[in-house]
Amino acid sequence: MQTSVRRQSPAPADVVTYRFNNQMMYVPPAESFDQAVTFARSAFESDLTGIDKGRISFSLNVLANGKQSSVGISKVAWSRIMSHLARYEIIDVHVQPEIKVFGPPPSYRPCGSTEGNEKERHSSSHSSSALHRLVSKCLFQRLSA
């Protein structure tokens, strides 16, 4: 009689640990990245309230080639990663820096625009030659000192 041995993967974790600013909280494993953000905000309410959800990210510490490394968890990989975590596994919560935008970028004139080009050429060559004279004068003064 021949029996076959089938390897079974461990049951998915029923509890994981979120770590943020050296504090740890047990939470149920989230089914999606967005749900993970919600759980993190709930677990660390005083620290994460008012933080834009797009700035919250997660990572795991792994041992690779004998070195411990932190590996981020992307939105698209979230459910697959969760299915392989052990009970109480630690997931680090991070807040990415806020990107500040101070206004629109400068506008540029289209290449084909000819309005005011003559006037601009004259004033830019005038200011350019004035700048050239000033630099030359300062250089001459330094050399003769």
Side-chain angles (χ1 to χ4, degrees), residues 1 9 19 44 48 78 80 136 145:
M1 174 182 215
S9 55
R19 177 171 51 198
F44 305 106
L48 298 179
W78 185 266
R80 289 186 181 189
S136 298

Side-chain angles (χ1 to χ4, degrees), residues 122-138:
H122 176 64
S123 70
S124 83
S125 67
H126 176 69
S127 62
S128 173
S129 61
L131 178 62
H132 180 66
R133 282 193 305 271
L134 177 63
V135 169
S136 298
K137 181 179 177 183
C138 289

Side-chain angles (χ1 to χ4, degrees), residues 48-77:
L48 298 179
T49 299
I51 300 293
D52 181 66
K53 73 178 189 171
R55 292 179 51 208
I56 298 174
S57 63
F58 302 92
S59 68
L60 293 171
N61 289 315
V62 299
L63 192 59
N65 297 327
K67 293 197 299 192
Q68 190 165 358
S69 302
S70 179
V71 179
I73 307 171
S74 68
K75 285 184 179 191
V76 295

Side-chain angles (χ1 to χ4, degrees), residues 17-72:
T17 308
Y18 280 3
R19 177 171 51 198
F20 182 70
N21 286 343
N22 295 319
Q23 296 178 334
M24 293 196 274
M25 297 286 280
Y26 291 128
V27 295
E31 293 178 15
S32 69
F33 191 91
D34 289 334
Q35 187 180 45
V37 170
T38 300
F39 289 174
R41 281 178 154 172
S42 175
F44 305 106
E45 194 172 351
S46 61
D47 293 313
L48 298 179
T49 299
I51 300 293
D52 181 66
K53 73 178 189 171
R55 292 179 51 208
I56 298 174
S57 63
F58 302 92
S59 68
L60 293 171
N61 289 315
V62 299
L63 192 59
N65 297 327
K67 293 197 299 192
Q68 190 165 358
S69 302
S70 179
V71 179

